Amino acid sequence: MREIILDELKQSILSEIYNLDYYNLEDTLKETSLSKVKSDTLKDYIVTYMTDAENKVINGDKLIKKYNSKYKFSLKVSSVDAIYKFTNGIIYLIEFKSGSVNKEDVYKKAYDTYIALSELKLIKDINDSKSRVFYIMVYKEEHSDYNTKITNTLKKYLNNIRKNKDYYKIGYFEGYLFKESFACSQDDFNTFIVKEFDNEENI
């Protein structure tokens, strides 16, 4: 079933962007969470991943590169890192932030991704987006100076994801562009969101 959903997404994209490498759009969630940080001591980059999940997604960066090539915008359109579609039509737009967060970048990616998905016929219109598209930003708690950090002791008693809609005011998009818009910690993402993907795929 997962392959069918991915094929539907890729076929829809192919109908709008010609001469596209069909298989190059697909990636693992792990690969889309990759981050390269310049080392202070080495002449190379330090590579880290925010998840080890192997669930298959559409790589947003690869998709938007082809999208920009087609429309040749004077200002390049940006995108979230990963796009996951469930069999019930729900779409998760996932942006990984392993370091500092730039609010303008987060907001631009929300608008740009919505526009791109509309142009590529992956969503019909604004009402369709507000009924089934979720915008999720995943951050590392050690890089957050926000006052929503919860101690490890308290975490043990929580059994639900903490949807932080105040983090960089990301909840602004909820009901405006998307059905839900929130940030969550890397731990919560791997504990709860990845579990949703695993349940979807019967892993």
Side-chain angles (χ1 to χ4, degrees):
M1 180 60 72
R2 183 69 196 141
E3 292 302 320
I4 294 175
I5 296 298
L6 280 170
D7 283 344
E8 287 177 355
L9 278 172
K10 289 186 284 189
Q11 288 292 349
S12 179
I13 294 166
L14 278 169
S15 67
E16 300 298 322
I17 303 178
Y18 308 110
N19 300 319
L20 181 64
D21 185 348
Y22 182 86
Y23 297 99
N24 196 39
L25 287 176
E26 187 180 314
D27 228 327
T28 64
L29 197 57
K30 177 180 179 178
E31 288 302 319
T32 62
S33 75
L34 181 149
S35 174
K36 293 182 179 180
V37 180
K38 186 72 174 178
S39 172
D40 293 330
T41 57
L42 303 174
K43 294 182 179 180
D44 208 343
Y45 289 90
I46 299 173
V47 176
T48 60
Y49 298 91
M50 293 190 71
T51 181
D52 290 323
E54 295 292 328
N55 309 84
K56 294 295 182 65
V57 296
I58 295 297
N59 186 311
D61 291 331
K62 292 178 180 179
L63 172 60
I64 215 67
K65 183 177 180 180
K66 295 297 182 182
Y67 178 77
N68 280 318
S69 296
K70 175 184 177 180
Y71 290 100
K72 302 185 186 305
F73 298 109
S74 56
L75 294 176
K76 296 296 184 183
V77 175
S78 58
S79 170
V80 295
D81 294 311
I83 302 169
Y84 187 100
K85 185 178 180 181
F86 292 83
T87 52
N88 63 4
I90 294 293
I91 295 175
Y92 279 10
L93 308 178
I94 305 164
E95 176 66 15
F96 293 102
K97 291 295 182 184
S98 62
S100 59
V101 178
N102 182 303
K103 182 179 178 180
E104 290 184 4
D105 178 61
V106 172
Y107 275 46
K108 185 177 188 301
K109 287 190 175 184
Y111 285 115
D112 285 358
T113 304
Y114 166 75
I115 292 170
L117 294 185
S118 298
E119 291 278 356
L120 296 173
K121 307 295 191 294
L122 297 182
I123 53 176
K124 297 176 183 177
D125 51 34
I126 187 68
N127 290 325
D128 185 34
S129 181
K130 290 192 293 184
S131 71
R132 64 188 180 96
V133 181
F134 292 64
Y135 185 45
I136 304 170
M137 183 176 73
V138 186
Y139 62 89
K140 284 191 174 183
E141 279 195 329
E142 60 262 36
H143 291 297
S144 172
D145 58 0
Y146 220 74
N147 60 6
T148 53
K149 290 183 180 179
I150 298 179
T151 64
N152 289 331
T153 302
L154 181 55
K155 280 183 182 180
K156 292 191 300 184
Y157 299 99
L158 296 176
N159 197 34
N160 291 298
I161 187 170
R162 291 167 291 142
K163 296 180 179 180
N164 190 339
K165 299 181 182 182
D166 292 324
Y167 192 71
Y168 288 89
K169 305 297 181 184
I170 194 170
Y172 169 78
F173 297 103
E174 188 166 313
Y176 171 53
L177 280 184
F178 309 117
K179 183 177 179 64
E180 279 195 45
S181 179
F182 61 88
C184 70
S185 69
Q186 179 183 5
D187 285 346
D188 274 8
F189 178 80
N190 285 305
T191 301
F192 300 106
I193 301 294
V194 171
K195 186 177 180 180
E196 289 185 47
F197 300 154
D198 289 345
N199 288 339
E200 168 78 1
E201 300 165 31
N202 296 315
I203 296 177

